[in-house]
Amino acid sequence: MITIYPTEPSHGDDINALLDRSFGPGRLARTAERLRETNVPLAGLSFIACNADGALLGSISYWPVRLGTTPGLLLGPLAVDSTVRGQGVGVQLMEASLACIEPTRFAFVVLVGDLDYYARAGFRIAAPEVHLPGPVDPVRLLVRADDAIYTHLSGTVRPAPDLC
Ligand SMILES: CC(C)(COP(=O)(O)OP(=O)(O)OC[C@H]1O[C@@H](n2cnc3c(N)ncnc32)[C@H](O)[C@@H]1OP(=O)(O)O)[C@@H](O)C(=O)NCCC(=O)NCCS
């Protein structure tokens, strides 16, 4: 049985080990990391998935960002332990956390990932006017927002730790 819990500081080492295993040693060189390195994860939106023994099976976090003056969130990293992939843990983590986002506070969610995976949660490819502070494959730059917001998003996503 999988249970979702809010992330606590004591989970940090286990989460880092999971991220190292999932993304490899180059994970901190990725462009999305430029939005995290000077930022603070949103405490109420970081979750872990554990099995009945309390072992960490997955983790998700969100980081406050802005596009122009529009407040939003960067989703990620999302990682699931390789021993339990394909069993719905990632989707559970995504659904549980996305349901907690107040759209009046954060108008969009952006991430770098596979559209085939994230489309089920309402993500679509970002408009060409949307950039991250570094190179990203444009078909992997994804956004989740209402149509009215989506069509007006443009510029470079910047960290916004003041929104925490
Ligand atoms: C991507 C990841 C988080 C998915 O977690 P998961 O728990 O295995 O996913 P779920 O079991 O919730 O979802 C499984 C479904 O997603 C699909 N899926 C998984 N990874 C996918 C991908 N990269 N692209 C497209 N579809 C994918 C599976 O085929 C399956 O589809 P189905 O429901 O139609 O059978 C996990 O594979 C992982 O940690 N990968 C390494 C780190 C990573 O790449 N993270 C995402 C960075 S954006």
Side-chain angles (χ1 to χ4, degrees), residues 22-23 78-80 84-91 112-114 116-118 120:
S22 299
F23 294 97
L78 166 64
V80 172
V84 292
R85 286 185 191 157
Q87 298 177 28
V89 177
V91 167
V112 182
D114 292 329
D116 284 351
Y117 185 66
Y118 289 102
R120 72 193 73 203

Side-chain angles (χ1 to χ4, degrees), residues 59-111:
S59 138
I60 192 168
S61 58
Y62 293 78
W63 307 73
V65 294
R66 274 197 192 86
L67 248 178
T69 57
T70 307
L73 292 165
L74 171 74
L75 187 166
L78 166 64
V80 172
D81 190 87
S82 59
T83 59
V84 292
R85 286 185 191 157
Q87 298 177 28
V89 177
V91 167
Q92 279 188 63
L93 280 167
M94 227 182 347
E95 288 178 348
S97 52
L98 288 170
C100 294
I101 296 174
E102 299 166 52
T104 51
R105 187 172 171 210
F106 298 107
F108 67 92
V109 182
V110 64
L111 63 81

Side-chain angles (χ1 to χ4, degrees), residues 20 41 91 95 109 113 129 134-135 139-141:
D20 285 344
V91 167
E95 288 178 348
V109 182
E129 297 79 19
V139 299
R140 290 175 53 78
L141 183 54

Side-chain angles (χ1 to χ4, degrees), residues 24-64:
R27 73 177 173 93
L28 298 179
R30 293 169 177 236
T31 289
E33 192 58 29
R34 305 290 75 78
L35 295 169
R36 290 191 279 258
E37 61 195 356
T38 58
N39 210 341
V40 185
L42 259 266
L45 285 178
S46 295
F47 291 92
I48 56 166
C50 295
N51 67 12
D53 297 328
L56 182 79
L57 300 180
S59 138
I60 192 168
S61 58
Y62 293 78
W63 307 73

